[in-house]
Amino acid sequence: MRADNSRHIVDAARRRSEYTRSRAIRALRELDTAGEPVTFEAVAKRAGVSRSWLYGQPDLRTEVERLRAAHRRAPSSQLPAGQRASDASLLRRLEAANTRVRQLTEENRRLRGQLARALGEQRADRITTDRVRGT
């Protein structure tokens, strides 16, 4: 009669399962730490497991869904809330920019007028000089 070696098979399956879970957990942590989107596909690909296996692990599934939802809620700016510009501050900056644009537009209009007068005077001087020379 053969010896019952099923204990070794069960132990190997348990070790393989623990190793697979550790890869999935590590993949979750790496994606989250890197600020990358945490999705079932991304975790499965990084951990080398199937998505269906992930869906079948209640705790891992819950964690993927939690991190995915947190990533969606996260603002696109990585600045802390205290360092972000307020609406009032942004309005003041916009008003200052508009004021500056008006000033530059007026300066541009004035300089174009001066240039036109200078070119006109230069042309008039050249015409006068050409007449004196007889050309």
Side-chain angles (χ1 to χ4, degrees), residues 101-121:
V101 167
R102 280 192 295 276
Q103 290 170 348
L104 291 172
T105 300
E106 176 56 31
E107 182 181 3
N108 193 357
R109 186 196 59 72
R110 186 177 46 77
L111 290 171
R112 284 177 188 261
Q114 287 176 356
L115 178 61
R117 281 189 295 283
L119 289 174
E121 291 172 3

Side-chain angles (χ1 to χ4, degrees), residues 65-76:
E65 290 170 346
R66 184 188 70 78
L67 291 171
R68 183 174 57 187
H71 183 74
R72 286 184 185 154
R73 284 192 308 267
S76 59

Side-chain angles (χ1 to χ4, degrees), residues 17-92:
S17 175
E18 289 172 359
Y19 178 65
T20 302
R21 286 184 61 75
S22 70
R23 288 193 333 252
I25 291 168
R26 186 174 57 243
L28 272 166
R29 289 181 182 151
E30 288 173 357
L31 289 168
D32 186 38
T33 301
E36 296 177 32
V38 177
T39 64
F40 285 98
E41 183 176 355
V43 173
K45 186 175 184 179
R46 183 165 293 197
V49 300
S50 69
R51 287 182 304 183
S52 62
W53 182 85
L54 278 174
Y55 284 116
Q57 307 300 310
D59 57 331
L60 296 177
R61 181 179 186 159
T62 300
E63 188 65 7
V64 169
E65 290 170 346
R66 184 188 70 78
L67 291 171
R68 183 174 57 187
H71 183 74
R72 286 184 185 154
R73 284 192 308 267
S76 59
S77 172
Q78 297 302 321
L79 290 175
Q83 293 180 1
R84 289 188 209 124
S86 68
D87 289 344
S89 172
L90 291 173
L91 283 173
R92 282 192 297 277

